[in-house]
Amino acid sequence: MTITNATFTIERILNASPARVFAAYASLEAKSAWFRAPAEIETLNRDFDFRVGGKERFHARWPSGLTTDFQATYHDIVENERIILVYDLFHNGDKLSVSLQTLEMRPEGDKTRLLHTEQGSYLVGGIEAAQGREHGTAWHVDNLVALIEGREPKAFS
Amino acid sequence: MLQYQAQRLDLAFHALSDPGRRAMVERLSMGAASVSDLAKPLPMTLSAVVQHLKILEEAGLVKTQKIGRVRTCTLDIAVMTQVESWIAERKRFWEQQYDQLAAYLDATAQEENGT
């Protein structure tokens, strides 16, 4: 099992106050309105307990048969300011990663700058097991070349 | 850009920025080959192929091993690119979610204004 540590950041200016952005995360009803899979999925388990120490789970089966399981624990919540959570991600029961996700909502005029920082430990053995051999090396060469040429990589499925 | 083993990725991206070297990597993605096998379909001299191989080797993309008089080349990018692709995909997933969040915030803003 090889472990890779990596960090990425996403920054967005959202046309809403920090309070409205925060509210979009704070209830299952609001979150379900925008946090969606890009395909038709079957929801197997959905838990949502938005408080420090509370857990969120999104366990689903995709049209390909793949099951994904997002299991998070909220570690820090400051209303309208920040949310910090830790999540494990499983594909077909194999753990792929453990990630610390920090969401910061900074007011900017009547808008909000959302900073999403994700620090992860990626468990390569789990990724390989989940991907299977058929995805092999050729897929990655295509994608590496796509990245270099500035094209969108193919969907990871 | 991902803050992921930046130096190693720079080397890899540089190595793959050349169409001749990409052709060699694509050939090796189908299986190991000798240096002369690699050179055959390419419009370049054997010594040019050896130079390109050296760049691919330094970037950690290809391994070569000499057995007797034959130097065999194999691709060595599986682990790095698998993780790299995976992380890039994770980032793309969240970007997509935030497109949906922005649309949701726009839609609910109209509701709140009572229009």
Side-chain angles (χ1 to χ4, degrees), chain B residues 31-80:
Chain B
S34 68
V35 176
S36 52
D37 283 345
L38 267 184
K40 254 179 228 162
L42 297 172
M44 56 176 93
T45 62
L46 196 61
S47 70
V49 168
V50 171
Q51 284 299 313
H52 282 310
L53 268 177
K54 202 173 159 221
I55 292 168
L56 290 168
E57 236 182 318
E58 283 167 0
L61 296 170
V62 168
K63 271 187 181 155
T64 72
Q65 192 188 12
K66 196 162 188 177
I67 301 167
R69 294 175 60 190
V70 178
R71 183 169 288 279
T72 303
C73 314
T74 50
L75 207 55
D76 190 32
I77 65 171
V79 168
M80 184 195 75

Side-chain angles (χ1 to χ4, degrees), chain A:
Chain A
M1 171 82 69
T2 310
I3 300 174
T4 297
N5 296 112
T7 299
F8 65 80
T9 306
I10 299 172
E11 208 172 321
R12 283 288 177 107
I13 300 284
L14 293 163
N15 191 16
S17 63
R20 290 190 58 230
V21 174
F22 181 86
Y25 285 94
S27 74
L28 182 58
E29 191 195 359
K31 194 166 182 182
S32 302
W34 63 272
F35 186 80
R36 291 190 310 263
E40 280 301 313
I41 57 160
E42 180 193 349
T43 302
L44 303 172
N45 290 282
R46 187 77 173 108
D47 302 328
F48 190 87
D49 185 11
F50 188 75
R51 59 187 169 89
V52 174
K55 294 191 188 303
E56 178 173 356
R57 185 176 186 195
F58 199 160
H59 184 205
R61 185 180 289 117
W62 295 63
S64 64
L66 172 76
T67 61
T68 57
D69 196 356
F70 167 92
Q71 294 185 13
T73 303
Y74 289 100
H75 282 248
D76 192 49
I77 297 174
V78 177
E79 198 175 2
N80 306 340
E81 277 181 33
R82 66 169 183 264
I83 301 167
I84 303 176
L85 54 108
V86 172
Y87 75 89
D88 296 339
L89 192 71
F90 300 83
H91 273 197
N92 292 334
D94 293 308
K95 188 182 284 188
L96 300 193
S97 57
V98 180
S99 305
L100 171 65
Q101 189 183 93
T102 303
L103 304 165
E104 295 170 77
M105 293 131 208
R106 298 185 185 165
E108 210 157 283
D110 53 359
K111 299 183 180 190
T112 302
R113 182 182 295 273
L114 176 70
L115 290 170
H116 171 133
T117 305
E118 201 153 311
Q119 297 158 277
S121 294
Y122 296 86
L123 313 172
V124 175
I127 293 170
E128 283 174 347
Q131 275 188 263
R133 298 290 165 217
E134 73 274 19
H135 280 86
T137 310
W139 182 89
H140 296 287
V141 173
D142 288 350
N143 280 284
L144 215 62
V145 171
L147 281 172
I148 290 160
E149 293 177 349
R151 291 184 277 117
E152 279 280 288
K154 257 187 286 182
F156 186 91
S157 56

Side-chain angles (χ1 to χ4, degrees), chain B residues 3-22:
Chain B
Q3 299 158 27
Y4 164 73
Q5 297 184 355
Q7 200 179 3
R8 191 168 166 187
L9 275 178
D10 285 348
L11 280 174
F13 281 14
H14 167 70
L16 288 166
S17 64
D18 177 85
R21 290 195 288 270
R22 272 208 306 274

